[in-house]
Amino acid sequence: MARTGVARFCIPAALGYGARASGPIPANADLVFQVELLDFKTKAEVENMNRAQASDPAATKDAPPQQ
């Protein structure tokens, strides 16, 4: 899926909560999620982030999430 792409995921009740109700979700309800991909990181970017975190975990422990 490309940036700004939209996907709809449908999960049948049998794979979701089944015959159990959960909060506002009634029993035997199909679950439908619409997801928009705003941005993503490349494999290289993720690997660099993981290397930086592994080399200095104290520095990133309390760091705010990156946007």
Side-chain angles (χ1 to χ4, degrees):
M1 186 162 65
R3 283 182 178 95
T4 71
V6 177
R8 179 174 268 193
F9 300 98
C10 299
I11 301 172
L15 295 176
Y17 293 99
R20 297 171 300 164
S22 180
I25 302 170
N28 297 312
D30 294 333
L31 304 175
V32 180
F33 299 93
Q34 183 165 317
V35 179
E36 180 179 1
L37 179 63
L38 300 177
D39 201 1
F40 60 86
K41 297 200 179 304
T42 65
K43 182 178 178 180
E45 289 172 318
V46 172
E47 288 172 350
N48 287 337
M49 289 170 41
N50 289 340
R51 267 196 297 279
Q53 188 173 10
S55 66
D56 192 7
T60 57
K61 178 183 169 194
D62 297 320
Q66 294 181 346
Q67 294 185 6

